[in-house]
Amino acid sequence: MPALLKFYKWGISMSLSFLTITFVPGKMFQDKDVIKVSHSLYHYWSLDADRDLTLKIGKKERLVAIEPASIPKDEIHMDSGLFSYFQLAEEDIRLIVQYAGGDRRLVAGPIIGLMTEASEDHEEVSFRSVHSFCGELQAGIEEFGGIFYVFHIKDFRESGLSGYCWRDGRWVKEQVPFPTVIYNRIHSRKLESGKYFGNFKYKLQELGIPMFNDCFLSKDLVYDILAGEEHMKPYLPETRLLGARTLENMLSRYHEVFIKPVNGSQGRNIVRLSLAENKLSASFSSAGAKDAGKSFPDCAAFFKWFEPQLRTRMYLVQEPIQLASLNGRQLDFRVLCHKGPQNSWRATSAVARISAEQQFVSNIARGGETMKPVKALTLIADKATAVQQAALMKELAVEAAGIISNASEGIVGELGMDLGIDRQGKLWIIEANSKPSKNFEEADQRIRPSAKALIEYFIWLSFQAAKS
């Protein structure tokens, strides 16, 4: 009997009774569509050569005849014409297969399409910040079975799809089959909020293609979702939409606030506003900002100066947290959380982030650096406390991720939770990112935990969608 597909070798709890099968092209010279299966598979699935079955690969299916053959136990041979029908490259392809005997239906996949921007220069293509991560996903899917490619939304047509496939050490654009799941890594919020993207999502619904992480999450939405759960409120700094009266009120209570764009990322365009001796001082997170620091006589003067920014984007005003620091540099933590089969969440990795000198945000994009959480925590507490705090941090991140996922539209299956610890040791949730950076995890493994978790969930999503 062929070996069952197991995920234990990656340390993943999921175990599926699927098989990994190699599909081999060839010339059958038959009048009808035939697949040759090994005697081992023929008996394992209790097949009947006198009864045809439905073969489904990706979004296409075909009625085929079965012929037991003396071939390796983990192979299925089929005519090159069938490879062409399913839009598969005419080469040996390892796919994950599930057979439903009651329906006489053989389903193979997954076909995973990562959607992002692509730029070509001198025949080389770049997928921007996720370029190296695409290589990891390709390697992981090769290991388990399946098809992976990268595509741009504008290459998706009802008549077909072109995407970038890994061929002989480089990404090559070619015609590809429709995916069984889409991983959305578009960088543009403007594109996602436009009519074109809305029509695209509607088309996916018609085709029955699930899209994983179908949009960015705004900071105000995340706050409202979490604040709606009474037991989460103690972990949230007070956060309000920016307005003149709200700003004045919060400054009078806290004497310092942070002003953040609702749809900001990577620590850009954040303002720290401090009130001392009846004078306001503003400092800015963005490197190379025109005003490195600025003073105002009162809140009204600042708001008048800042108001033009509100014409193009919305901002939040947030209570400051006196976070723990290392040598005067701010410390916070990114916990990466992923949804698994049966929609259960887990923390897949975590890092401590230490801000650059003279920076009040710890984002790596702003010059920060990373460290293992327990190591960073032992620099501000004893080892036992550090281990306990790191564990509690992951529990809080997973709890928050589940709440956000349940209250959000679409499939939210990956979240980067930013947390902090104040000087009294209390945990705080700073924000959540639905498209977290792939550049902060320690690259001591060929395929990192986040890639493994994603592949596991993609496989599950693909075969769940195949049932409908």
Side-chain angles (χ1 to χ4, degrees):
M1 184 187 80
L4 296 182
L5 175 63
K6 296 288 185 181
F7 285 79
Y8 60 77
K9 66 177 177 179
W10 275 357
I12 294 174
S13 60
M14 178 182 177
S15 178
L16 299 172
S17 58
F18 298 159
L19 305 178
T20 301
I21 303 296
T22 300
F23 285 74
V24 180
K27 290 295 182 183
M28 299 295 185
F29 303 106
Q30 302 272 7
D31 293 332
K32 59 180 181 177
D33 294 322
V34 177
I35 62 171
K36 293 182 178 181
V37 302
S38 67
H39 290 290
S40 180
L41 284 174
Y42 186 83
H43 294 297
Y44 177 61
W45 284 328
S46 301
L47 299 177
D48 184 348
D50 294 325
R51 298 180 65 192
D52 295 348
L53 59 76
T54 299
L55 174 62
K56 182 180 177 70
I57 301 179
K59 304 305 295 181
K60 288 190 169 187
E61 55 185 48
R62 193 78 167 248
L63 196 65
V64 297
I66 310 152
E67 182 181 313
S70 298
I71 57 177
K73 65 179 182 180
D74 58 353
E75 289 186 2
I76 290 177
H77 292 203
M78 65 185 194
D79 190 83
S80 299
L82 276 176
F83 268 73
S84 178
Y85 171 77
F86 288 113
Q87 293 183 285
L88 304 176
E90 197 171 327
E91 61 186 16
D92 291 6
I93 298 176
R94 295 177 73 246
L95 298 175
I96 297 170
V97 175
Q98 183 182 48
Y99 177 63
D103 298 329
R104 299 194 56 74
R105 199 161 179 253
L106 192 65
V107 180
I111 300 174
I112 299 164
L114 185 147
M115 181 171 63
T116 192
E117 295 84 351
S119 56
E120 294 191 43
D121 183 29
H122 303 296
E123 298 185 355
E124 292 293 325
V125 64
S126 170
F127 306 132
R128 295 178 56 175
S129 64
V130 295
H131 190 89
S132 61
F133 193 68
C134 288
E136 282 188 61
L137 289 176
Q138 170 66 29
I141 292 163
E142 277 184 4
E143 186 173 330
F144 265 97
I147 296 170
F148 175 77
Y149 54 79
V150 184
F151 74 99
H152 191 281
I153 185 173
K154 292 188 177 179
D155 288 325
F156 193 102
R157 300 282 188 274
E158 286 188 56
S159 57
L161 171 63
S162 58
Y164 294 91
C165 302
W166 188 250
R167 303 286 185 224
D168 299 321
R170 57 192 293 265
W171 294 100
V172 177
K173 197 170 188 178
E174 58 188 53
Q175 287 299 117
V176 293
F178 280 129
T180 53
V181 62
I182 291 175
Y183 179 32
N184 177 16
R185 290 296 305 198
I186 288 176
H187 296 83
S188 171
R189 291 176 183 268
K190 183 177 180 180
L191 174 59
E192 278 195 353
S193 61
K195 183 178 180 181
Y196 189 92
F197 191 78
N199 291 337
F200 170 74
K201 288 174 67 174
Y202 180 76
K203 177 54 62 178
L204 292 185
Q205 291 175 359
E206 285 188 331
L207 294 171
I209 301 174
M211 181 161 63
F212 178 87
N213 277 19
D214 65 350
C215 65
F216 284 97
L217 295 176
S218 63
K219 291 179 175 61
D220 58 332
L221 174 63
V222 169
Y223 178 82
D224 289 344
I225 288 173
L226 293 176
E229 301 291 330
E230 198 66 33
H231 69 289
M232 299 302 288
K233 285 184 178 179
Y235 302 103
L236 301 172
E238 182 182 358
T239 304
R240 299 283 182 261
L241 282 174
L242 177 63
R245 185 172 297 178
T246 302
L247 178 61
E248 187 171 7
N249 178 272
M250 290 184 68
L251 269 173
S252 68
R253 286 188 287 129
Y254 299 119
H255 303 289
E256 182 179 88
V257 294
F258 287 96
I259 297 172
K260 300 179 177 182
V262 166
N263 292 318
S265 62
Q266 297 186 331
R268 291 189 292 255
N269 303 309
I270 297 175
V271 182
R272 181 172 64 185
L273 201 57
S274 304
L275 176 63
E277 299 178 355
N278 295 319
K279 187 177 289 186
L280 280 176
S281 298
S283 53
F284 308 88
S285 67
S286 295
K290 183 177 179 181
D291 301 286
K294 202 169 179 66
S295 296
F296 301 88
D298 53 37
C299 189
F302 167 80
F303 198 82
K304 183 178 180 180
W305 174 83
F306 192 75
E307 199 166 17
Q309 303 293 326
L310 299 177
R311 295 171 190 162
T312 56
R313 63 175 67 180
M314 296 171 62
Y315 280 80
L316 300 171
V317 56
Q318 189 172 76
E319 169 192 358
I321 305 300
Q322 298 302 315
L323 294 175
S325 61
L326 293 175
N327 300 319
R329 299 163 64 187
Q330 181 171 295
L331 171 69
D332 67 18
F333 302 83
R334 163 65 63 86
V335 180
L336 200 54
C337 299
H338 286 92
K339 187 186 288 184
Q342 314 306 324
N343 296 321
S344 58
W345 282 87
R346 67 180 182 276
T348 52
S349 66
V351 295
R353 304 186 302 182
I354 306 158
S355 69
E357 297 285 352
Q358 308 302 316
Q359 276 280 351
F360 57 83
V361 294
S362 59
N363 300 70
I364 308 308
R366 305 260 70 81
E369 59 183 272
T370 63
M371 184 183 295
K372 290 185 177 181
V374 172
K375 181 179 178 181
L377 289 166
T378 54
L379 297 176
I380 59 175
D382 60 81
K383 182 65 177 289
T385 301
V387 171
Q388 182 184 43
Q389 289 281 47
L392 290 173
M393 197 182 305
K394 289 182 179 180
E395 289 181 18
L396 179 60
V398 168
E399 173 74 7
I403 292 169
I404 294 168
S405 172
N406 290 338
S408 300
E409 294 183 4
I411 302 172
V412 178
E414 176 181 47
L415 287 169
M417 301 298 305
D418 293 344
L419 290 86
I421 295 178
D422 67 20
R423 294 167 187 174
Q424 287 71 49
K426 179 184 174 183
L427 291 175
W428 293 88
I429 298 172
I430 301 171
E431 59 186 56
N433 190 329
S434 62
K435 297 186 184 180
S437 168
K438 298 303 179 184
N439 300 322
F440 74 89
E441 289 177 276
E442 293 188 33
D444 57 351
Q445 301 176 56
R446 188 174 71 96
I447 305 172
R448 290 174 290 179
S450 62
K452 297 171 184 178
L454 284 168
I455 292 168
E456 174 193 4
Y457 193 55
F458 292 157
I459 293 169
W460 186 77
L461 273 178
S462 293
F463 283 92
Q464 286 294 109
K467 294 178 180 178
S468 59

